[in-house]
Amino acid sequence: MIRNSKLKTYLHWITFLLIAVTYASIELRGLFPKGGNMYAFIKQTHYNSGVLVCILMLVRLCFISQQKKAIRSKNPTIIKKFNGILLKVLYIIFLITPLTGIAIMLFGSKYWDLLYFKNIPFIYNNSDIKNTLKQTHELIANSGYFAIFIHSCISMLLYLNYRKQENTLDK
């Protein structure tokens, strides 16, 4: 079982909460009429939490590169290796998705708030690029649902194996 520092654990759960807010806000957006105050608030929450996810992922990458290797159990299994690959995929997903979201806003020539600072579009409107980016953004974000689910299942399996002090995964 991998033992992580408290800071790394806190960063993990803060990232999880921000990702949950980001996904929930885009899903809840459809419940409100377009153009209304609540719709605008939900949309703004999605933008801000998405950018914060990207920033937090960069902080986590810097922290991981500075940190010593975590203490690992004796027997690495194929499941643990797969989870390690999946973690890298999750990092890529949650770095690329917010960046494509920002690019959508820029190519849409929209005024928007980033953490309550007004941003002025500096790229001319290009609907073809914007539509391609939007499709890419949605595809990557939807694959994030699947990757999070698989990561959660594997992590729970590894945790339960560790708690029971059994070698179930090695049999």
Side-chain angles (χ1 to χ4, degrees):
M1 185 67 163
I2 298 173
R3 291 297 192 128
N4 294 314
S5 70
K6 286 187 178 190
L7 179 60
K8 190 172 177 183
T9 303
Y10 290 142
L11 287 173
H12 175 269
W13 289 109
I14 291 169
T15 305
F16 167 76
L17 290 174
L18 279 173
I19 290 168
V21 167
T22 306
Y23 276 116
S25 62
I26 202 62
E27 296 297 335
L28 293 174
R29 182 184 63 157
L31 297 177
F32 302 99
K34 198 170 189 174
N37 287 339
M38 198 60 178
Y39 182 87
F41 173 75
I42 297 273
K43 209 165 71 166
Q44 191 62 40
T45 301
H46 177 74
Y47 299 153
N48 287 330
S49 56
V51 170
L52 286 173
V53 165
C54 188
I55 291 168
L56 198 53
M57 294 304 274
L58 290 172
V59 167
R60 288 179 68 177
L61 282 174
C62 291
F63 181 71
I64 288 171
S65 67
Q66 305 271 327
Q67 189 182 24
K68 295 178 184 176
K69 289 285 185 185
I71 301 167
R72 295 182 182 270
S73 64
K74 299 175 191 174
N75 302 321
T77 64
I78 191 73
I79 293 176
K80 291 178 190 175
K81 290 179 184 178
F82 180 71
N83 200 35
I85 292 168
L86 190 59
L87 283 173
K88 289 174 179 72
V89 169
L90 284 167
Y91 272 94
I92 291 168
I93 287 171
F94 294 118
L95 284 170
I96 292 175
T97 306
L99 294 176
T100 56
I102 291 169
I104 290 167
M105 298 302 290
L106 293 175
F107 281 104
S109 291
K110 291 186 180 180
Y111 291 91
W112 51 289
D113 295 339
L114 175 61
L115 305 174
Y116 302 99
F117 292 103
K118 296 278 185 202
N119 290 297
I120 300 168
F122 54 88
I123 298 176
Y124 291 108
N125 190 2
N126 189 331
S127 59
D128 292 336
I129 294 175
K130 179 188 168 198
N131 291 336
T132 303
L133 284 169
K134 187 172 183 178
Q135 290 173 349
T136 304
H137 180 77
E138 290 172 357
L139 176 69
I140 295 170
N142 287 336
S143 65
Y145 280 122
F146 179 72
I148 291 169
F149 174 74
I150 298 297
H151 170 64
S152 300
C153 291
I154 292 172
S155 296
M156 287 303 297
L157 181 64
L158 292 173
Y159 176 75
L160 292 173
N161 184 58
Y162 173 75
R163 282 297 271 178
K164 290 182 176 183
Q165 298 294 326
E166 293 179 3
N167 292 330
T168 307
L169 298 176
D170 296 328
K171 292 180 182 177

